[in-house]
Amino acid sequence: MNSQLNVKQWAIATVAVFVAMAIIQYVVHGVMLTGWYMEYPAYWRSPEAMMRKMYWMYVGYLVFAALFTYIYTRGYEGKAGMGEGMRYGVLIGALVGIPKMFIDHAVFFYPGKIILSWCIAMIVMCAILGIIVGMIYKSPQQKTV
């Protein structure tokens, strides 16, 4: 593990993760799951109300991106970037997605197909985000070719 943070690469990776996360979330929720969401209109804010609060989503994406990337830098082993990043992403996705799936099922009225889809989407999204971080982040000690 490396203890020294490469701040420039961390910042670049954070921005890349933020952008990728916004795109992936749009594809998952704005395209793929929209039909299911329309089956349960009482569960969601109106489109206008969502748009008025959209900036909170982006704040959440930015906080997630910064923490996701920072945690990667703390456990960075210096191995092949994509593989290490994907392994990290899958583990973080499982850490966030699987417990949340069970908690959401116990607390909310959302249908199981939506909750399961959110879990799968979280794991896949984090795997992709991990690959991105793995491709960008190199420790300050590691020479780039």
Side-chain angles (χ1 to χ4, degrees):
M1 268 191 259
N2 298 305
S3 60
Q4 190 177 8
L5 177 66
N6 185 327
V7 175
K8 181 179 178 184
Q9 288 184 17
W10 168 76
I12 291 168
T14 295
V15 170
V17 166
F18 171 80
V19 170
M21 185 175 188
I23 292 167
I24 292 166
Q25 292 284 20
Y26 171 76
V27 170
V28 169
H29 300 290
V31 177
M32 295 172 65
L33 297 180
T34 298
W36 284 353
Y37 293 164
M38 297 295 221
E39 293 175 21
Y40 307 94
Y43 291 172
W44 321 106
R45 294 181 190 273
S46 69
E48 298 79 23
M50 280 193 220
M51 290 306 291
R52 285 193 303 271
K53 294 187 177 288
M54 185 72 68
Y55 64 93
W56 286 113
M57 252 185 357
Y58 291 113
V59 168
Y61 293 168
L62 184 58
V63 169
F64 183 92
L67 291 172
F68 181 87
T69 305
Y70 181 76
I71 294 167
Y72 177 85
T73 70
R74 302 296 77 201
Y76 178 67
E77 297 172 353
K79 296 180 181 174
M82 286 180 64
E84 186 174 353
M86 180 152 76
R87 183 183 72 238
Y88 165 75
V90 168
L91 290 171
I92 292 293
L95 173 70
V96 173
I98 294 172
K100 186 177 182 318
M101 176 181 62
F102 291 113
I103 294 164
D104 286 353
H105 181 65
V107 174
F108 300 113
F109 291 111
Y110 300 123
K113 66 184 181 183
I114 290 176
I115 293 173
L116 179 60
S117 296
W118 289 343
C119 177
I120 293 167
M122 176 60 74
I123 295 169
V124 171
M125 178 185 73
C126 286
I128 293 167
L129 300 179
I131 290 169
I132 291 168
V133 172
M135 289 171 48
I136 295 171
Y137 189 82
K138 307 286 185 263
S139 71
Q141 296 88 9
Q142 189 175 4
K143 302 275 190 231
T144 55
V145 179

